[in-house]
Amino acid sequence: MRKFNLLIIIFLLTTNLYCQIVGGGSFIKGTSVEIGVNNTGGFEGTSATPPIGMHPRGGFGLFGFVANPQVNAWATFYGDYFTPGSPENGWGLLIGNSSGSPAFSNNCVSSLSQISSTPTIAYSHILNCYKIDWMGSVVSGTNNIRAHINYFLEQNNLYYTTTVSLTNNSSSTIPTLYYYRNVDPDNNQPVSGSFSTINLIEDQPGVGLCNLACVSAKQLGSFGMAYLAFAGIGPDFRVCYGGFSNRNAFNLWNGVGFTQTVGSTNTADQAISISYKIQNFLPGTTRTFKFVTILNASDKLVAVNNLLSLSFPGSAYVAPSACSPLNPPDTARICGPTKIEISGSNVSSYIWSWLPTIGLSSSTTFSAIVNPPSTTIYTITGIPTTPCTSTVPVTYTVVVIPAPPLPTITNSPITICSGLSSSIYLNTPSGGVGAVYNWTGPGGFTSSVQNPSIAISSPSSIGTYTVLTTLVSGCTSTGLTSVSFIPTSTIVVTPSITICQGGNLSLIANAPGATSYSWVGPNSFTSSVQNPNVSLSALPINSGVYTVTAYFVAGTATCTTVKTCTVTVIPAIPTSLGMISNICNNGTINLTSPSGGSSYSWVGPNSFTSSVQNPSITNAGLTNIGTYTVSITTGSCTNSGTLSVSVYPPLSFSVLPTNITLCSGKFGQLSSSSIGGSGLYNYLWSPILNLGSPTSNTTSVTGTSTTVYTLSVTDANCSMTLPISTTSTVNINPLPVITMTTSNNRGCEIFCTDLISSSSPPSVSCQWHFSDNRFFNSCDTTSYCFPTLGTYGSILTVTDVNGCVDSTKSSSFIIVDPNPDADFTWLPENPTVLINEVSFTDKSTIGSQISGWHWDFGDTSATNDTSNISKYSYIYGSPNSNTYFVTLKVTNIFGCVDSVTKVIKINDEFALFIPNVFSPNKNDGTNDVFKVSGIGFLTNDFEMGIYDRWGSSIFSTNDINKGWDGTVKGKLCESGSYVYRISIKDFKNKTRQFIGHITLL
């Protein structure tokens, strides 16, 4: 029986829509709906990363389901529908009829997974339909329930279908079982910011005409009203809202603590659920129900219509009609009258019609018995009659193809050979599930088994056997199998043949009544001759088992009998027995020859003879090298063979070790090489004192005292080979005794002194290495300079006349004391002829503590212009020069000296006093004349003019000592403001001009 969802209006297939498994999640991507399923629990909400192109938005790293009911390419969309808050979303079962019965849940919260014993997950994509299948099971006591959940999305729909199939794998009936699906709807919380939804019981079975259950949750956001609803059709569905983590299916179905009344509504952050009740759940049976998750309010009725399906027997699995183009539609291949029907809880809500009406038991019902005379395309139309469904009619198309009469099948004949097993199996192709088989044959044979076994007991069992196969569709087919008998006989052959190499090898066989023969044997031998000749000159490769087959033919049937013959070809003597190489000098040569001969005779180098099969030669030497020949007699045949023998030469030195001379404590090398023997040698130097590798042909040696070393060599592979030995003397020279000195090891930077060295035995070269990583390659020098302060260590390395090298060192060979850095400052920084007392302060740095000062203030006009203290004030009086060279010389506690000279200038000053008011009319003898005074200017280059407000000159003078008395032509001017203009040259011969106002009172 095949059932598929079959509602679609337009077919569209695009390449960017898909479903797939990624990590621990499975994903469906439609045009406006996207779903993520947890592979372990089978619920929406997976932590796996969604494929590129999907639109995850929520919390807790989960992807559940999102929708774009605006159909604007996801510019705005709703969801995730539950993951922003605590991700309460899942399903579960309760086995029993009370709230305390065993309950099991799979839920997003903490990845709860109680129904998942060995879960499996699969997905498929058929045209524009996408689905995910989850399968798991739960065991409770003696109850074993298998769950299969199918999530189905059609490409452009704003709803998806959940089909639940529960199978009772227990051995007994389960009286009552409840299923639930719940979710805490957060709808569009990431955009709206609210977790509360408007929850509404829209429909409930038993209320109204539809048996429709529907609960919804709405939320108003910036994109409009986000809508989520569960809906199912049938009296066993219930919906409710309330609570939060609601996982007791009994309470949810029966409304214990939850709201189920149609029209009830509440705005809160709470869960909605749909539940289903199963009663009298028989063992081995499956109960299937489905509901829709609706994500756009206007699609509710269309979504409910999606709960219908088309079913008919006998068709192969193809895409459901809802995901098929109009051509081809579903196809039903029938054999006789066949039932085709529309199934679903709401089929009675439509008026149904079938076209054409030919071959139908009824053309006005949702179910009809169909048996057209030829292939017919039926169109089934349902027109809604109640508000439970969409006003748009639903249409299904199915092609019915009547099966032609089935042909008679002639099976391959069966031949029975005499002397073989008398039991045979009759075979016929399977007719599928429910097919019936009826066999008849000779001797009254009957059987209802598809492939029965027959015991052939007499010639009466020979003949034709017939099977009639009746399919579950009522179609039948006939199969014929003939059984025949062929007599055979045993083949007579010589069981075994033994010949010498080079003899004539022939085979003989006889089987009375045989039609033909075939032989196979060693060395790819084949023949179809009854008595073939294998070889006129047999070789050992002809030895082995030869198999002959006799054929007995009757018509197209053939029987065979088989026998074997074992052939042994005695090989001729070997022409070469190989080679014996690598015999140790003074070792033993062991000669070997093939066994099986009656007598042996050996001859070889150095007059060797022997009648032993495998003789030995001891104390082998170079005279035993050569070819050895053995003659082997077997019966009347004599064979001979040869082998070559090689012997290692005795040991000898190819390079003798030489005597060497070393400096005391230095390393040298003793070396030798050997030839002869096996080429792998053991070396031993003695005594082993001061040797690095006393068991190697080359060893390092450390010079301590003159020693005679003995080298012994043995063959590592041949212990019996005689050893060899030789000697080498190592002579030792003492290291030089070194002294290094200097006539003066301390001074101020830069410090230069001499370097003096001596050694015994006398030196031929020296190298000084100082701690500042400078080198000096000479034994002595009268002057070597150390540029910077510090303590200098020194290592003196000397090579003496014997080539021996040694060193001596001192960590404080030279000490260089720091120089002071002389510096001083003075205040004021710019002294003048008026401010001529200058304070000098020592600012010298570095070079440790300063212990002495000497100042020279550069005043050549003074008799005492020096000082020996760190800070001194000096007065420059009546200078004949304005530039002085001041020198400070400082000495630190090490006696190191530094000096610095700086230039100081005593500047001349210019100052001019100009009054701004005078009162010549007071007759008090005070402030009666306006004139200027000051310093630092030339009196012989002076001009001053007075001007009234109109710019007319009223007074002028070139004498700085003569001022204006406030009169013009002997008459006192009016009180008021007058303008003066003054021009004068300073002591640097620079003209200065002043313009301003003077007030006459």
Side-chain angles (χ1 to χ4, degrees):
M1 178 67 72
R2 181 173 78 107
K3 295 188 177 183
F4 295 111
N5 299 331
L6 295 174
L7 181 62
I8 191 167
I9 297 175
I10 184 169
F11 168 75
L12 176 63
L13 178 62
T14 60
T15 58
N16 63 339
L17 303 175
Y18 55 88
C19 60
Q20 65 183 80
I21 297 175
V22 178
S26 301
F27 298 90
I28 295 177
K29 182 179 187 302
T31 300
S32 302
V33 172
E34 296 173 357
I35 308 168
V37 176
N38 182 288
N39 288 355
T40 301
F43 46 75
E44 299 96 324
T46 175
S47 60
T49 301
I52 295 174
M54 299 189 78
H55 301 83
R57 182 173 68 190
F60 299 90
L62 297 173
F63 181 77
F65 53 100
V66 294
N68 177 220
Q70 298 88 353
V71 193
N72 58 6
W74 297 89
T76 57
F77 65 94
Y78 297 146
D80 200 302
Y81 277 86
F82 69 92
T83 65
S86 298
E88 179 63 33
N89 177 76
W91 63 279
L93 303 174
L94 184 144
I95 306 172
N97 202 22
S98 70
S99 62
S101 299
F104 306 90
S105 293
N106 286 4
N107 198 286
C108 261
V109 174
S110 302
S111 297
L112 184 63
S113 182
Q114 298 174 335
I115 311 172
S116 59
S117 177
T118 315
T120 57
I121 194 84
Y123 69 89
S124 65
H125 167 198
I126 302 174
L127 297 177
N128 60 337
C129 285
Y130 306 90
K131 71 172 184 174
I132 294 174
D133 288 276
W134 181 94
M135 288 151 281
S137 61
V138 63
V139 176
S140 174
T142 60
N143 296 314
N144 185 330
I145 299 172
R146 181 71 171 169
H148 179 179
I149 300 178
N150 171 272
Y151 293 94
F152 180 90
L153 173 66
E154 199 173 322
Q155 173 184 307
N156 295 320
N157 285 349
L158 279 162
Y159 55 86
Y160 62 93
T161 304
T162 302
T163 302
V164 181
S165 295
L166 301 177
T167 301
N168 183 2
N169 288 330
S170 313
S171 59
S172 59
T173 298
I174 298 176
T176 307
L177 182 142
Y178 292 91
Y179 164 91
Y180 80 89
R181 161 80 166 94
N182 77 315
V183 67
D184 167 32
D186 296 326
N187 284 25
N188 210 26
Q189 189 276 339
V191 176
S192 68
S194 173
F195 290 97
S196 296
T197 53
I198 304 170
N199 303 318
L200 172 66
I201 304 298
E202 297 188 12
D203 303 279
Q204 198 75 271
V207 179
L209 303 175
C210 302
N211 265 341
L212 175 64
C214 182
V215 59
S216 65
K218 296 185 294 184
Q219 186 184 75
L220 183 62
S222 58
F223 307 145
M225 185 67 74
Y227 181 85
L228 165 65
F230 293 145
I233 294 180
D236 295 318
F237 276 106
R238 293 291 186 275
V239 291
C240 67
Y241 67 74
F244 190 75
S245 55
N246 310 321
R247 302 172 194 158
N248 188 294
F250 175 88
N251 291 342
L252 292 170
W253 196 92
N254 290 282
V256 179
F258 304 102
T259 300
Q260 291 185 330
T261 304
V262 174
S264 297
T265 184
N266 185 40
T267 300
D269 180 10
Q270 58 185 195
I272 64 173
S273 67
I274 187 168
S275 52
Y276 190 84
K277 180 179 181 180
I278 296 175
Q279 299 186 45
N280 196 28
F281 197 0
L282 299 178
T285 62
T286 298
R287 299 288 185 93
T288 299
F289 54 91
K290 58 184 176 179
F291 58 90
V292 286
T293 301
I294 308 168
L295 302 174
N296 189 35
S298 62
D299 284 353
K300 174 182 175 181
L301 295 181
V302 177
V304 170
N305 281 351
N306 199 54
L307 299 174
L308 292 172
S309 59
L310 175 67
S311 65
F312 55 90
S315 65
Y317 182 85
V318 295
S321 294
C323 298
S324 301
L326 294 178
N327 186 22
D330 285 329
T331 301
R333 301 181 182 277
I334 66 172
C335 183
T338 301
K339 183 180 181 180
I340 298 178
E341 66 178 352
I342 309 298
S343 61
S345 301
N346 57 334
V347 292
S348 59
S349 300
Y350 296 83
I351 297 175
W352 299 98
S353 62
W354 297 60
L355 289 175
T357 59
I358 185 173
L360 298 175
S361 62
S362 172
S363 62
T364 58
T365 61
F366 61 84
S367 175
I369 302 300
V370 180
N371 189 22
S374 60
T375 298
T376 302
I377 301 176
Y378 290 98
T379 299
I380 311 166
T381 302
I383 298 176
T385 60
T386 71
C388 299
T389 57
S390 170
T391 58
V392 178
V394 293
T395 302
Y396 305 99
T397 303
V398 62
V399 176
V400 178
I401 304 176
L406 298 176
T408 298
I409 301 174
T410 301
N411 298 316
S412 300
I414 299 175
T415 300
I416 304 300
C417 299
S418 65
L420 300 180
S421 173
S422 58
S423 293
I424 63 170
Y425 284 93
L426 300 173
N427 296 295
T428 191
S430 173
V433 178
V436 176
Y437 307 90
N438 185 15
W439 284 91
T440 59
F445 171 79
T446 60
S447 176
S448 60
V449 179
Q450 177 186 349
N451 301 313
S453 173
I454 305 174
I456 305 298
S457 58
S458 65
S460 62
S461 301
I462 305 302
T464 299
Y465 291 80
T466 303
V467 59
L468 179 66
T469 302
T470 302
L471 307 183
V472 70
S473 63
C475 300
T476 61
S477 66
T478 301
L480 303 176
T481 303
S482 62
V483 178
S484 59
F485 179 85
I486 299 178
T488 61
S489 63
T490 301
I491 306 174
V492 178
V493 298
T494 302
S496 62
I497 300 173
T498 301
I499 63 172
C500 296
Q501 181 176 337
N504 183 20
L505 177 57
S506 296
L507 303 174
I508 299 175
N510 183 39
T515 305
S516 60
Y517 298 83
S518 67
W519 288 87
V520 294
N523 201 30
S524 303
F525 172 77
T526 61
S527 178
S528 60
V529 178
Q530 179 179 352
N531 302 314
N533 182 272
V534 178
S535 176
L536 295 176
S537 180
L539 297 173
I541 60 174
N542 300 125
S543 298
V545 177
Y546 290 78
T547 302
V548 60
T549 302
Y551 299 90
F552 304 84
V553 179
T556 59
T558 300
C559 289
T560 61
T561 57
V562 178
K563 271 296 182 70
T564 61
C565 170
T566 301
V567 173
T568 302
V569 178
I570 299 175
I573 60 172
T575 58
S576 175
L577 299 179
M579 179 178 181
I580 300 177
S581 59
N582 303 331
I583 299 298
C584 294
N585 192 278
N586 205 41
T588 299
I589 303 172
N590 294 310
L591 303 174
T592 59
S593 64
S595 60
S598 56
S599 64
Y600 297 83
S601 176
W602 286 90
V603 294
N606 202 25
S607 304
F608 172 75
T609 62
S610 177
S611 60
V612 179
Q613 176 187 353
N614 301 315
S616 297
I617 305 171
T618 59
N619 301 317
L622 300 180
T623 59
N624 301 116
I625 296 174
T627 300
Y628 292 77
T629 302
V630 61
S631 297
I632 306 172
T633 301
T634 303
S636 59
C637 298
T638 299
N639 300 321
S640 64
T642 62
L643 62 82
S644 298
V645 174
S646 65
V647 180
Y648 289 135
L651 296 178
S652 64
F653 286 106
S654 60
V655 177
L656 289 171
T658 59
N659 298 332
I660 63 173
T661 299
L662 299 176
C663 296
S664 177
K666 302 304 178 180
F667 292 97
Q669 181 174 282
L670 298 174
S671 182
S672 175
S673 61
S674 304
I675 59 174
S678 66
L680 186 62
Y681 310 106
N682 291 325
Y683 294 88
L684 179 62
W685 297 84
S686 65
I688 64 173
L689 181 66
N690 298 324
L691 298 181
S693 303
T695 58
S696 175
N697 68 313
T698 299
T699 178
S700 62
V701 57
T702 304
T704 57
S705 61
T706 299
T707 305
V708 177
Y709 291 95
T710 300
L711 172 61
S712 299
V713 182
T714 59
D715 192 321
N717 291 322
C718 299
S719 61
M720 66 289 296
T721 299
L722 299 177
I724 58 175
S725 64
T726 188
T727 62
S728 177
T729 300
V730 178
N731 298 295
I732 305 302
N733 288 326
L735 296 178
V737 178
I738 308 169
T739 61
M740 63 176 180
T741 60
T742 178
S743 58
N744 185 9
N745 75 330
R746 187 164 188 164
C748 298
E749 58 180 329
I750 301 170
F751 176 57
C752 297
T753 187
D754 57 1
L755 303 176
I756 304 170
S757 71
S758 65
S759 71
S760 177
S763 61
V764 295
S765 67
C766 304
Q767 184 186 67
W768 298 77
H769 182 194
F770 299 105
S771 56
D772 61 351
N773 208 30
R774 292 187 300 144
F775 294 86
F776 178 66
N777 295 315
S778 181
C779 292
D780 302 291
T781 182
T782 58
S783 178
Y784 186 84
C785 296
F786 297 87
T788 58
L789 64 92
T791 299
Y792 290 83
S794 176
I795 300 174
L796 175 59
T797 302
V798 172
T799 303
D800 66 16
V801 292
N802 294 321
C804 295
V805 180
D806 202 5
S807 300
T808 186
K809 66 179 179 179
S810 172
S811 61
S812 57
F813 184 63
I814 297 294
I815 299 175
V816 179
D817 294 319
N819 289 327
D821 186 6
D823 192 16
F824 64 89
T825 61
W826 66 86
L827 289 175
E829 294 181 354
N830 298 299
T832 68
V833 294
L834 298 179
I835 306 173
N836 59 350
E837 182 178 359
V838 182
S839 177
F840 293 92
T841 303
D842 174 34
K843 294 295 184 178
S844 300
T845 59
I846 311 176
S848 190
Q849 182 178 353
I850 304 299
S851 61
W853 299 264
H854 179 75
W855 294 89
D856 185 343
F857 300 109
D859 191 354
T860 58
S861 65
T863 58
N864 184 14
D865 66 340
T866 62
S867 175
N868 292 318
I869 62 176
S870 63
K871 185 174 183 180
Y872 187 80
S873 294
Y874 184 79
I875 299 173
Y876 290 89
S878 302
N880 56 10
S881 173
N882 66 344
T883 300
Y884 300 90
F885 293 90
V886 180
T887 300
L888 171 63
K889 181 179 179 181
V890 294
T891 304
N892 65 14
I893 60 175
F894 300 114
C896 299
V897 178
D898 190 29
S899 64
V900 62
T901 299
K902 298 185 179 181
V903 177
I904 184 171
K905 290 186 177 182
I906 305 299
N907 296 315
D908 292 327
E909 288 198 9
F910 171 82
L912 187 67
F913 173 71
I914 302 175
N916 59 2
V917 65
F918 75 113
S919 55
N921 58 345
K922 299 300 182 180
N923 298 316
D924 55 6
T926 301
N927 202 19
D928 291 331
V929 178
F930 170 69
K931 63 179 179 178
V932 298
S933 61
I935 61 172
F937 51 80
L938 302 178
T939 59
N940 58 357
D941 195 346
F942 174 80
E943 291 182 8
M944 181 176 72
I946 304 297
Y947 304 91
D948 62 16
R949 68 185 66 182
W950 294 279
S952 299
S953 175
I954 58 176
F955 176 80
S956 65
T957 184
N958 295 110
D959 186 355
I960 194 170
N961 295 314
K962 182 180 180 180
W964 179 44
D965 60 2
T967 65
V968 176
K969 297 179 180 182
K971 183 180 179 180
L972 184 66
C973 294
E974 296 179 358
S975 299
S977 179
Y978 295 85
V979 177
Y980 63 82
R981 180 180 184 278
I982 299 172
S983 175
I984 191 170
K985 286 188 177 181
D986 62 18
F987 61 87
K988 293 183 181 180
N989 206 32
K990 178 181 178 181
T991 300
R992 298 174 180 255
Q993 290 186 344
F994 302 90
I995 298 174
H997 292 83
I998 178 69
T999 302
L1000 189 153
L1001 299 178

